[in-house]
Amino acid sequence: MARFIFITGGVVSSLGKGLASAALGALLQARGYTVRLRKLDPYLNVDPGTMSPFEHGEVFVTDDGAETDLDLGHYERFTGVAARMTDSISSGRVYSTVLEKERRGDYLGKTIQVIPHVTNEIKDFIRIGEDEVDFMLCEIGGTVGDIEGLPFFEAIRQFAQDKPRGQCIFMHLTLLPYLAASGELKTKPTQHSVKELRSIGLAPDILVCRSEHPIPEREREKIGLFCNVRKDAVIAAYDLKSIYEAPLAYHAQGLDQAVLDAFNISPAPAPNLAVWHDVADRIHNPEGEVSVAIVGKYTQLEDAYKSIAEALTHGGMANRVKVRIDWVDAELFDREDAAPYLEGFHAILVPGGFGERGTEGKIKAAQFAREKGVPYLGICLGMQMAVIEAARNVAGLTTAGSEEFDHESGSRRFEPVVYHLKEWIRGNQTVARKADDAKGGTMRLGSYDAVLREGSRVADVYGTTAIEERHRHRYEVDTRYREKLEATGLCFTGMSPDGKLPEIVEWADHPWFIGVQFHPELKSKPFAPHPLFADFVRAAVENSRLV
Ligand code: GLN
């Protein structure tokens, strides 16, 4: 049965709890253990699928089609363990399940209360698959003291009581602010945060303290003493140049040892950190640099394209170059010439997105890349824009567009080269959607197979003709235009197994121009860069030698 590690945060948000959890997962793996990571989010949305990327960052999609928090992306990138639908839960999901059960009469006339009904639901969730791994790491979103978080804190308190002694530990992340005037690190916010935790019955076994300055030994002692945590379990977390240094940095501070000590695991198996040394070496010793433009809409918040930025970094590591990312707002050249905004980049990436705003700029970016021979990777909406560009400017369908834009404006302005997908096959079942379906969870979501054309660039890049990739879309390129487009040289080199849904397009006579309907970025890892990103960066390197 699994041992459980509960990870909470205090003092301020954005301390890097997700990263610390992911790094700890990687360190436990390095010692030969199996792990699974989970995120419990106190917000009331059922899932982040309906939240704006401006608000919450990217939506991370799992193989089994859940729309989840971007922290699950960190978990996967550090551990290589594919996240599942059952690795992410929110208050909204918990309450909607409890209320459904109440309506069905499952509670047999009882009064429904936070304790025990909501907390039981949370505990059941935490227990899912507990026999499958050695360690289950559960991160609680938000900060201790948040009103919404209380049922989760109560649930993990009960959970630890229900289990035999020594089966659950608590790790708490805090901040040690530095007061420049007195030249001191202050421990009081950490003390208060732990006091808050203890007031709801949780005593941390491990404290991870974020700090911009070295934490002197006597401060660690003081924190240990005042927070009732062993001195060795007060772990410093300093700012890092790259997130991929986190496993080595946390190991150097003794985090994994402290965790094993807290569980009384002795002697602890020795860690093998060779993978992370190699990752760090590739990050710290690049042999060149390329610059890639990401032409998108949510460019003010980098978290909106988190996995894409990470996958590009991995692509750079595969080629031993640093990838400099420039965020270019597509709306800037909706009505203008794109060239002044895009010249000088070694490659252009147009990411996924929703709605019409900024799409004329993205279409121009695809045109610029096609005409100038600049490597182009179009992801989801970025593929759809490349197809519309080809239809308008090469195949002569001057009014080509996406039904998505007409739906949004309620008018019919475009020839729907990209149409609203209403039916598709999942496994051996047909999934159907109506035009007026609710927004949440109704897209074509999760992992689907695609078949690649023998001899195409993508088949070469992947080294196979059968792939599985993750999807999140409502619209699709219409195969009725396939012949016309292929006649211009835009080849449909990846299709769904039934041949109905275009998955990949590429220009035959271009140095590197690929559009994909899926999200390859979600499966890239620092120790296993996704082949499309690795080859895209390789093409950027090649292009950088020409300019
Ligand atoms: N808005 C487009 C669709 O729903 C693209 C989605 C995406 O880029 N993830 O098909």
Side-chain angles (χ1 to χ4, degrees), residues 204-265:
D205 300 281
I206 295 180
L207 277 181
V208 174
C209 302
R210 281 294 298 268
S211 169
E212 286 176 10
H213 293 265
I215 305 176
E217 200 52 25
R218 71 187 141 73
E219 292 303 315
R220 291 211 323 168
E221 269 168 32
K222 180 171 158 192
I223 295 167
L225 181 66
F226 282 86
C227 298
N228 198 29
V229 170
R230 285 160 191 267
K231 195 187 83 185
D232 293 344
V234 178
I235 307 293
Y238 301 123
D239 295 346
L240 301 169
K241 273 215 224 81
S242 157
I243 57 171
Y244 298 117
E245 293 169 43
L248 293 179
Y250 274 123
H251 177 69
Q253 295 297 328
L255 176 65
D256 43 333
Q257 187 60 54
V259 166
L260 297 173
D261 287 347
F263 281 114
N264 268 322
I265 297 175

Side-chain angles (χ1 to χ4, degrees), residues 119-137:
T119 47
N120 280 352
E121 201 59 47
I122 297 171
K123 289 197 287 179
D124 288 348
F125 167 79
I126 296 169
R127 260 190 294 267
I128 297 171
E130 64 178 336
D131 296 326
E132 291 173 19
V133 289
D134 299 320
F135 287 95
M136 191 81 90
L137 287 75

Side-chain angles (χ1 to χ4, degrees), residues 392-411:
R392 284 187 192 173
N393 302 326
V394 192
L397 301 165
T398 49
T399 61
S402 168
E403 254 191 318
E404 179 171 10
F405 313 149
D406 278 345
H407 283 164
E408 207 180 24
S409 65
S411 56

Side-chain angles (χ1 to χ4, degrees), residues 351-355 379-382 384 402 404-405 418-419 443 471-476 517 519:
F354 293 83
I379 294 178
C380 206
L381 189 71
Q384 297 173 357
S402 168
E404 179 171 10
F405 313 149
V418 178
Y419 72 106
M443 283 182 266
H471 295 69
R472 181 173 185 247
H473 64 123
R474 209 170 263 126
Y475 296 84
E476 178 68 74
Q517 185 54 70
H519 292 275

